[in-house]
Amino acid sequence: MTEPMTADQARAVVYDAYTTGLPQAAAAKLLTGRATPAWVAHEYAALRRRGVSSMAGQQTLFDTEAAE
């Protein structure tokens, strides 16, 4: 039996999905049974309001200057 996911863990999944440019539906699918699509939409909206870039994770992943 798996342990239930905490709200902080679910938010971390949503944050990672958002910052790598995944659509809300994909993030909701990652959290199937742990969070509703409405909750994921709320979290995406909160990240947008906070000014978090939806491409921040991709920019970090492909940052050639950081690799030097």
Side-chain angles (χ1 to χ4, degrees):
M1 188 169 163
T2 61
E3 288 189 32
M5 183 178 278
T6 67
D8 287 340
Q9 290 169 326
R11 279 189 187 94
V13 170
V14 170
Y15 180 85
D16 287 343
Y18 179 81
T19 59
T20 55
L22 286 177
Q24 289 179 22
K29 197 170 198 175
L30 289 171
L31 294 168
T32 300
R34 297 178 184 105
T36 64
W39 183 83
V40 173
H42 175 267
E43 292 299 313
Y44 264 55
L47 290 167
R48 276 192 298 276
R49 280 192 308 273
R50 287 184 14 217
V52 175
S53 169
S54 63
M55 296 295 144
Q58 290 182 14
Q59 292 166 353
T60 302
L61 182 63
F62 296 108
D63 185 6
T64 56
E65 291 180 17
E68 294 175 359

